[in-house]
Amino acid sequence: MEQLATLADLPERYLEHLEQSNLVPLWPSLRNVLPPIKPIPHTQSLVWKYSEIKPLLLEAGELTPIEKAERRVLVLANPGHGLENMRATSVIYLGMQLLLPNEWAPAHRHTPNAVRLIVEGEKAYTTVEGVKCPMEHGDLILTPSGLWHEHGHDGDQPVIWLDVLDLPLVYYMEASFVEGGESQPVKTVENKMSYSAGLVPVQHHIRAEQNYPMLRYPWKDAKQLLIDLSEKQSEGPIQVAYVNPETGEDCQKIIGYSVLMVRSGETVQLQPRSAAMVFHVIEGEAEIKIDGKIFGIDQADTACAPCFSNIDLINKSNRPCFIFIADEAPIQKKLGLYSVRARSE
Ligand code: GTQ
């Protein structure tokens, strides 16, 4: 491709006139906004070690009372986007949230979608539109756009979870805002619907849009399914997606969620794809190799990888490793931007 002229090739006087008229020449920036062959991501590959996060989060628990924080969260920020912008990728926000015994994070609702993946601790709960969802290690709890949610804690040890939100995208779209409120009355109906019979209510199935029939995905069920699949399927990656059981579609509209099981001794190679990805270890340990860079990931560690990277997940340990994955595929598919390529090594 032709090397294009730069700003330095234009006279000062001309550039000043452009600026006064709120005009910008395209050609000095054309190759930045339309780079050849593939995007130039701001997202850097990196790992956040839980062993570094946890003591700092517990210290936040001493430094800042919950009433002064509303949500006591340390954000996992990617330096490639500027730490102050609080992004893991251009679409994905990650935060580690701490709730101490008897604390309460009051009800609010906002336009970004959120999920919680429980990292440690017992007897906390998130109430979503009145439905009380217990938080146990590895559970996924949805708080979709516009639904009231609050967090409470009846246990006697700290509870920590990973928040995943589509905040960077929604904020960029100037669509991000919150409403606060009182505590929600808890509905007597708990989120107990099983769906394991393979049956869904017909009415919901027909007009399912906007409906979030399942708010809590218990880890014990997901893990059992992965183990059952791994016994049936001797080769190839074992991965399950969190879906809306009434439609079979992704459980949220912007970010996709799944869990990958990497067997003892196994290496899973992922195809480069247009969507950036986040990895969080629910159980076990592994290595993640992103475009040749190797990081060790232990339980509760979190990694992120930019678009179109070559990713290997390598389990050298003697037990399976279960890795929670968040990716940008649902929004990219809706916009017609999603693609998968052959490995480039
Ligand atoms: O728990 O509702 O990490 O509103 C960021 C924004 C958590 C929450 C975050 C939020 C929440």
Side-chain angles (χ1 to χ4, degrees), residues 70-71 73-75 93-97 105-106 108 110 114 116 143 149-151 161-165 167 178:
E70 213 165 284
R71 299 296 191 262
V73 175
L74 292 179
V75 179
Y93 158 104
L94 300 172
M96 279 284 178
Q97 183 161 171
H108 69 189
H110 40 68
R116 333 277 158 195
T143 58
H149 55 281
E150 64 186 80
H151 315 296
W161 64 84
L162 178 70
D163 292 315
V164 188
L165 280 80
L167 180 61
V178 69

Short mmCIF file of all heavy atoms in Angstrom, two decimals, residues 70-71 73-75 93-97 105-106 108 110 114 116 143 149-151 161-165 167 178, ligand 1:
data_model
loop_
_atom_site.label_atom_id
_atom_site.label_comp_id
_atom_site.label_asym_id
_atom_site.label_seq_id
_atom_site.Cartn_x
_atom_site.Cartn_y
_atom_site.Cartn_z
N GLU A 70 -20.39 2.30 47.56
CA GLU A 70 -21.58 1.73 46.90
C GLU A 70 -21.26 0.37 46.30
O GLU A 70 -21.93 -0.61 46.60
CB GLU A 70 -22.11 2.68 45.82
CG GLU A 70 -23.60 2.61 45.68
CD GLU A 70 -24.15 3.78 44.88
OE1 GLU A 70 -24.24 4.90 45.45
OE2 GLU A 70 -24.49 3.57 43.70
N ARG A 71 -20.22 0.30 45.47
CA ARG A 71 -19.69 -0.99 45.00
C ARG A 71 -18.18 -0.93 45.28
O ARG A 71 -17.49 -0.08 44.71
CB ARG A 71 -19.93 -1.17 43.50
CG ARG A 71 -21.41 -1.17 43.07
CD ARG A 71 -22.17 -2.33 43.65
NE ARG A 71 -23.51 -2.55 43.09
CZ ARG A 71 -24.65 -2.14 43.63
NH1 ARG A 71 -24.65 -1.41 44.74
NH2 ARG A 71 -25.81 -2.45 43.07
N VAL A 73 -14.97 -2.08 44.47
CA VAL A 73 -14.45 -2.82 43.32
C VAL A 73 -13.06 -2.30 42.95
O VAL A 73 -12.84 -1.09 42.92
CB VAL A 73 -15.38 -2.63 42.09
CG1 VAL A 73 -14.79 -3.30 40.86
CG2 VAL A 73 -16.79 -3.17 42.38
N LEU A 74 -12.13 -3.21 42.69
CA LEU A 74 -10.88 -2.84 42.01
C LEU A 74 -11.02 -3.28 40.56
O LEU A 74 -11.31 -4.45 40.28
CB LEU A 74 -9.67 -3.51 42.67
CG LEU A 74 -9.34 -3.00 44.09
CD1 LEU A 74 -8.13 -3.75 44.64
CD2 LEU A 74 -9.08 -1.49 44.10
N VAL A 75 -10.83 -2.33 39.67
CA VAL A 75 -11.05 -2.58 38.24
C VAL A 75 -9.78 -3.18 37.62
O VAL A 75 -8.68 -2.69 37.86
CB VAL A 75 -11.43 -1.28 37.52
CG1 VAL A 75 -11.64 -1.54 36.03
CG2 VAL A 75 -12.68 -0.67 38.13
N TYR A 93 -15.45 -4.69 30.49
CA TYR A 93 -14.98 -4.17 31.78
C TYR A 93 -14.90 -5.35 32.74
O TYR A 93 -15.79 -6.21 32.76
CB TYR A 93 -16.00 -3.15 32.29
CG TYR A 93 -16.00 -2.89 33.78
CD1 TYR A 93 -15.44 -1.73 34.30
CD2 TYR A 93 -16.58 -3.81 34.67
CE1 TYR A 93 -15.44 -1.49 35.67
CE2 TYR A 93 -16.58 -3.57 36.03
CZ TYR A 93 -16.01 -2.41 36.53
OH TYR A 93 -16.02 -2.18 37.88
N LEU A 94 -13.83 -5.39 33.55
CA LEU A 94 -13.69 -6.42 34.58
C LEU A 94 -13.43 -5.75 35.93
O LEU A 94 -12.60 -4.84 36.01
CB LEU A 94 -12.48 -7.32 34.28
CG LEU A 94 -12.46 -8.10 32.98
CD1 LEU A 94 -11.10 -8.77 32.81
CD2 LEU A 94 -13.57 -9.15 32.96
N GLY A 95 -14.09 -6.21 36.96
CA GLY A 95 -13.82 -5.69 38.30
C GLY A 95 -13.87 -6.82 39.31
O GLY A 95 -14.62 -7.78 39.13
N MET A 96 -13.04 -6.72 40.36
CA MET A 96 -13.15 -7.66 41.49
C MET A 96 -13.86 -6.92 42.61
O MET A 96 -13.40 -5.86 43.04
CB MET A 96 -11.77 -8.09 41.98
CG MET A 96 -11.15 -9.18 41.16
SD MET A 96 -11.86 -10.81 41.49
CE MET A 96 -10.90 -11.74 40.29
N GLN A 97 -14.95 -7.47 43.07
CA GLN A 97 -15.79 -6.80 44.08
C GLN A 97 -15.72 -7.54 45.40
O GLN A 97 -15.78 -8.77 45.44
CB GLN A 97 -17.23 -6.70 43.57
CG GLN A 97 -18.15 -5.96 44.53
CD GLN A 97 -19.45 -5.43 43.93
OE1 GLN A 97 -20.32 -4.97 44.66
NE2 GLN A 97 -19.60 -5.47 42.62
N ALA A 105 -24.79 -3.74 49.36
CA ALA A 105 -24.57 -2.83 48.23
C ALA A 105 -25.95 -2.54 47.64
O ALA A 105 -26.59 -3.44 47.08
CB ALA A 105 -23.64 -3.48 47.20
N PRO A 106 -26.43 -1.29 47.81
CA PRO A 106 -27.85 -0.98 47.59
C PRO A 106 -28.32 -1.18 46.15
O PRO A 106 -27.53 -1.18 45.21
CB PRO A 106 -27.95 0.49 48.00
CG PRO A 106 -26.58 1.04 47.92
CD PRO A 106 -25.64 -0.10 48.18
N HIS A 108 -29.72 -0.78 42.53
CA HIS A 108 -29.72 0.18 41.42
C HIS A 108 -29.96 -0.59 40.12
O HIS A 108 -29.96 -1.81 40.11
CB HIS A 108 -28.44 1.03 41.40
CG HIS A 108 -27.18 0.32 41.04
ND1 HIS A 108 -25.92 0.90 41.15
CD2 HIS A 108 -26.94 -0.94 40.55
CE1 HIS A 108 -25.00 0.05 40.74
NE2 HIS A 108 -25.58 -1.06 40.38
N HIS A 110 -28.97 -0.17 35.78
CA HIS A 110 -28.24 0.64 34.81
C HIS A 110 -28.34 0.04 33.42
O HIS A 110 -28.76 -1.12 33.25
CB HIS A 110 -26.78 0.82 35.23
CG HIS A 110 -26.11 -0.38 35.81
ND1 HIS A 110 -25.82 -1.50 35.08
CD2 HIS A 110 -25.69 -0.64 37.09
CE1 HIS A 110 -25.23 -2.39 35.85
NE2 HIS A 110 -25.14 -1.91 37.09
N ALA A 114 -24.46 -6.66 33.16
CA ALA A 114 -23.39 -7.17 34.03
C ALA A 114 -23.61 -8.66 34.29
O ALA A 114 -24.73 -9.16 34.19
CB ALA A 114 -23.38 -6.42 35.36
N ARG A 116 -21.87 -11.67 37.26
CA ARG A 116 -20.95 -11.92 38.40
C ARG A 116 -20.51 -13.37 38.30
O ARG A 116 -21.35 -14.26 38.10
CB ARG A 116 -21.62 -11.75 39.76
CG ARG A 116 -22.80 -10.81 39.79
CD ARG A 116 -22.37 -9.41 39.91
NE ARG A 116 -23.41 -8.50 39.43
CZ ARG A 116 -23.19 -7.23 39.16
NH1 ARG A 116 -21.99 -6.73 39.32
NH2 ARG A 116 -24.16 -6.46 38.73
N THR A 143 -27.09 -9.87 35.68
CA THR A 143 -27.90 -8.69 35.97
C THR A 143 -27.99 -7.88 34.67
O THR A 143 -27.23 -6.94 34.44
CB THR A 143 -27.32 -7.84 37.12
OG1 THR A 143 -26.00 -7.43 36.81
CG2 THR A 143 -27.26 -8.62 38.41
N HIS A 149 -30.80 -4.50 40.82
CA HIS A 149 -29.99 -5.51 41.52
C HIS A 149 -29.29 -4.91 42.74
O HIS A 149 -28.94 -3.73 42.74
CB HIS A 149 -28.98 -6.15 40.58
CG HIS A 149 -28.07 -5.18 39.89
ND1 HIS A 149 -28.46 -4.45 38.80
CD2 HIS A 149 -26.79 -4.81 40.14
CE1 HIS A 149 -27.46 -3.67 38.41
NE2 HIS A 149 -26.42 -3.86 39.21
N GLU A 150 -29.13 -5.73 43.75
CA GLU A 150 -28.41 -5.35 44.96
C GLU A 150 -27.69 -6.58 45.49
O GLU A 150 -28.03 -7.71 45.13
CB GLU A 150 -29.39 -4.82 46.01
CG GLU A 150 -30.38 -5.87 46.49
CD GLU A 150 -31.44 -5.27 47.42
OE1 GLU A 150 -32.39 -4.65 46.89
OE2 GLU A 150 -31.30 -5.43 48.64
N HIS A 151 -26.65 -6.33 46.30
CA HIS A 151 -25.88 -7.44 46.85
C HIS A 151 -25.92 -7.40 48.38
O HIS A 151 -25.77 -6.33 48.97
CB HIS A 151 -24.41 -7.37 46.42
CG HIS A 151 -24.21 -7.07 44.96
ND1 HIS A 151 -24.62 -7.93 43.97
CD2 HIS A 151 -23.65 -6.01 44.33
CE1 HIS A 151 -24.31 -7.39 42.79
NE2 HIS A 151 -23.73 -6.23 42.98
N TRP A 161 -16.14 -11.49 44.17
CA TRP A 161 -16.56 -11.99 42.86
C TRP A 161 -16.02 -11.11 41.75
O TRP A 161 -15.57 -9.99 41.98
CB TRP A 161 -18.09 -12.13 42.77
CG TRP A 161 -18.86 -10.85 42.87
CD1 TRP A 161 -19.12 -9.99 41.85
CD2 TRP A 161 -19.50 -10.32 44.04
NE1 TRP A 161 -19.89 -8.94 42.32
CE2 TRP A 161 -20.14 -9.12 43.65
CE3 TRP A 161 -19.62 -10.74 45.37
CZ2 TRP A 161 -20.86 -8.34 44.54
CZ3 TRP A 161 -20.33 -9.96 46.26
CH2 TRP A 161 -20.95 -8.78 45.86
N LEU A 162 -16.03 -11.69 40.53
CA LEU A 162 -15.59 -10.98 39.33
C LEU A 162 -16.82 -10.40 38.63
O LEU A 162 -17.77 -11.13 38.34
CB LEU A 162 -14.88 -11.96 38.39
CG LEU A 162 -14.39 -11.39 37.06
CD1 LEU A 162 -13.21 -10.44 37.26
CD2 LEU A 162 -13.97 -12.52 36.10
N ASP A 163 -16.82 -9.09 38.41
CA ASP A 163 -17.87 -8.44 37.64
C ASP A 163 -17.41 -8.33 36.19
O ASP A 163 -16.28 -7.90 35.93
CB ASP A 163 -18.10 -7.00 38.13
CG ASP A 163 -18.71 -6.91 39.51
OD1 ASP A 163 -19.66 -7.65 39.79
OD2 ASP A 163 -18.23 -6.08 40.31
N VAL A 164 -18.27 -8.70 35.26
CA VAL A 164 -17.98 -8.48 33.84
C VAL A 164 -19.13 -7.64 33.27
O VAL A 164 -20.29 -8.02 33.40
CB VAL A 164 -17.87 -9.81 33.05
CG1 VAL A 164 -17.38 -9.55 31.63
CG2 VAL A 164 -16.97 -10.81 33.77
N LEU A 165 -18.78 -6.50 32.72
CA LEU A 165 -19.80 -5.60 32.17
C LEU A 165 -19.42 -5.18 30.75
O LEU A 165 -18.23 -5.18 30.39
CB LEU A 165 -19.93 -4.31 33.00
CG LEU A 165 -20.74 -4.33 34.31
CD1 LEU A 165 -19.90 -4.93 35.43
CD2 LEU A 165 -21.20 -2.94 34.71
N LEU A 167 -19.68 -2.21 29.92
CA LEU A 167 -19.60 -0.77 30.19
C LEU A 167 -18.77 0.02 29.18
O LEU A 167 -19.21 1.10 28.74
CB LEU A 167 -19.07 -0.58 31.62
CG LEU A 167 -18.91 0.83 32.15
CD1 LEU A 167 -20.22 1.57 32.18
CD2 LEU A 167 -18.30 0.80 33.55
N VAL A 178 -27.29 5.25 35.36
CA VAL A 178 -27.80 4.42 36.46
C VAL A 178 -28.95 5.13 37.15
O VAL A 178 -29.03 6.36 37.13
CB VAL A 178 -26.65 4.14 37.47
CG1 VAL A 178 -26.24 5.40 38.21
CG2 VAL A 178 -27.00 3.04 38.46
O1 GTQ B 1 -22.30 -4.58 41.30
O2 GTQ B 1 -23.77 -3.34 40.33
O3 GTQ B 1 -18.05 -3.67 39.01
O4 GTQ B 1 -22.93 -1.27 39.00
C1 GTQ B 1 -19.44 -1.90 38.29
C2 GTQ B 1 -20.67 -1.31 38.30
C3 GTQ B 1 -20.27 -3.62 39.73
C4 GTQ B 1 -22.61 -3.68 40.50
C5 GTQ B 1 -19.25 -3.06 39.01
C6 GTQ B 1 -21.71 -1.86 39.00
C7 GTQ B 1 -21.51 -3.03 39.73
#
